[in-house]
Amino acid sequence: EILQHDRQIQTIRKTVVKKTLDALKKLYKEDRDKYIEFWKQFGQVIKEGLFKEPENKDKIFDCCLFQSTISPTDYYSISEYIERMKPEQDAIYFLTGESREVLENSPHLEAFKEKGYEVLLLTDPVDEVWVQYCTEYKDKKLKSAANTSLELGSEEERKKTTETLKKKEEEWKSLLDLIQNKLDKYIKTVKLSSRMSTSAACLVCEQGQLTPHLEALLKASGKEVQATKRTLELNPTHPLMSKMFELFTTDKNNPKLADYAELLYAQALLAEGGQIPDPASFNKKVAELMVGAL
């Protein structure tokens, strides 16, 4: 302990860290393929430095590689991501989860695909930790694609979208209240969203909330974690939502509306690779829908 606080030891430590990071950057520039193989083996350890070594955070970022929606197999530096950002894009977007396959099929990415925005796909357990500490890189904010405050496009586009959603929410208020009441024990609130283009629903977190993946990791480590209530976002342009509103307008007390609310929530959970609370009930409701459709 005395040695750790010795001035000479601290100087040696800083020098070793600097030389190591410089050597990693040099290797990446001179032999990208070799560095990628190195990264696959030791990348998780290096990313720990993003929150354990705050004074060297930017230098460590320069040595980090990430997979993204731009390529199915390649790895890129954060600087390369920034070079490819759209002119109107003001943030670095990422999505955390258990696997790339799950993330690629996530409803959270639909709006990004439409805009042509690249999203970093983070699947290592350590990713859930460092993103809590690193919220900015070279004046660019790092934002989760699964965050409730997500806003894409130009200021004019955002304003237009907000106005459209506000009018729709006023029109559908009673239906949204019904869905909220039915799912109150599972969700914090329900709202309409422009986040999705093909999916009917998704679940999003507020800033600072535990993600589903992080919750699962903590539970797997034996820690007691209180379930986080998230926001259920619904796609007002999806045919399913239009049909639900038609049914609600015709018969507000139709018991099918409550069933559809539960199915929407279950769909949102399954889309992100989560576990539905009552699989037996879900199967029964799906079977009944199939019988009615045949």
Side-chain angles (χ1 to χ4, degrees):
E1 187 175 348
I2 294 173
L3 284 175
Q4 287 177 356
H5 291 87
D6 183 83
R7 184 175 298 177
Q8 290 181 321
I9 295 295
Q10 289 180 346
T11 301
I12 292 172
R13 180 183 180 279
K14 288 180 180 179
T15 303
V16 170
V17 170
K18 182 180 182 301
K19 286 187 175 294
T20 300
L21 294 176
D22 289 343
L24 292 177
K25 287 179 66 176
K26 183 180 179 182
L27 177 61
Y28 180 63
K29 290 179 180 179
E30 295 179 353
D31 194 336
R32 181 189 180 100
D33 291 338
K34 187 175 182 180
Y35 186 80
I36 289 176
E37 289 305 311
F38 165 81
W39 178 261
K40 289 178 180 178
Q41 296 295 320
F42 301 102
Q44 291 196 56
V45 178
I46 295 174
K47 283 189 284 188
E48 288 183 14
L50 291 172
F51 57 90
K52 289 185 176 180
E53 296 277 337
E55 67 274 14
N56 292 307
K57 184 180 67 175
D58 285 351
K59 291 181 180 179
I60 295 172
F61 248 132
D62 291 337
C63 297
C64 290
L65 297 183
F66 306 95
Q67 287 194 300
S68 80
T69 53
I70 200 81
S71 166
T73 56
D74 210 349
Y75 289 78
Y76 301 99
S77 68
I78 201 80
S79 296
E80 290 170 327
Y81 175 100
I82 292 174
E83 289 174 3
R84 293 192 293 265
M85 286 174 62
K86 298 292 183 181
E88 75 279 7
Q89 186 179 343
D90 59 1
I92 298 167
Y93 296 107
F94 66 87
L95 189 61
T96 61
E98 184 178 349
S99 69
R100 182 184 178 111
E101 184 180 8
V102 170
L103 295 182
E104 284 182 324
N105 294 305
S106 170
H108 299 112
L109 293 184
E110 292 175 10
F112 292 90
K113 291 176 182 177
E114 282 200 340
K115 293 287 185 183
Y117 289 3
E118 182 178 355
V119 179
L120 301 177
L121 303 177
L122 310 179
T123 57
D124 291 331
V126 70
D127 292 328
E128 292 286 358
V129 182
W130 72 258
V131 295
Q132 305 294 327
Y133 292 86
C134 303
T135 58
E136 189 174 317
Y137 174 77
K138 292 185 178 179
D139 299 325
K140 300 290 184 183
K141 297 288 185 182
L142 274 80
K143 294 184 179 181
S144 171
N147 196 284
T148 54
S149 60
L150 183 67
E151 293 183 333
L152 300 180
S154 64
E155 187 176 346
E156 185 178 348
E157 289 175 325
R158 295 175 188 177
K159 185 178 179 181
K160 185 176 179 180
T161 300
T162 300
E163 290 175 353
T164 302
L165 289 175
K166 187 176 180 180
K167 290 179 181 178
K168 203 70 173 178
E169 284 186 337
E170 290 174 356
E171 182 185 356
W172 288 17
K173 184 179 185 305
S174 297
L175 174 60
L176 297 177
D177 288 342
L178 183 150
I179 296 172
Q180 175 70 55
N181 291 333
K182 182 60 183 176
L183 301 176
D184 195 54
K185 63 180 177 180
Y186 302 122
I187 65 173
K188 183 175 182 179
T189 186
V190 60
K191 60 184 286 190
L192 300 182
S193 169
S194 61
R195 184 189 302 266
M196 296 156 284
S197 57
T198 58
S199 298
C202 70
L203 289 160
V204 297
C205 298
E206 292 183 356
Q207 187 69 34
Q209 274 190 321
L210 293 181
T211 65
H213 188 214
L214 183 54
E215 275 190 27
L217 291 173
L218 292 173
K219 288 178 181 177
S221 67
K223 295 183 179 180
E224 290 187 11
V225 181
Q226 187 175 359
T228 302
K229 283 188 175 184
R230 291 178 290 156
T231 297
L232 177 66
E233 291 194 355
L234 303 175
N235 179 5
T237 64
H238 196 280
L240 175 57
M241 293 307 305
S242 299
K243 292 290 185 181
M244 274 191 74
F245 183 67
E246 288 178 13
L247 179 60
F248 178 79
T249 304
T250 305
D251 182 7
K252 296 181 179 180
N253 298 314
N254 194 313
K256 289 184 179 179
L257 290 168
D259 290 341
Y260 294 159
E262 290 186 353
L263 288 173
L264 280 171
Y265 175 67
Q267 279 185 335
L269 281 173
L270 291 173
E272 65 182 22
Q275 299 291 324
I276 53 180
D278 191 348
S281 176
F282 175 78
N283 288 338
K284 180 181 178 181
K285 289 180 174 61
V286 170
E288 289 172 353
L289 279 175
M290 292 175 69
V291 170
L294 293 173

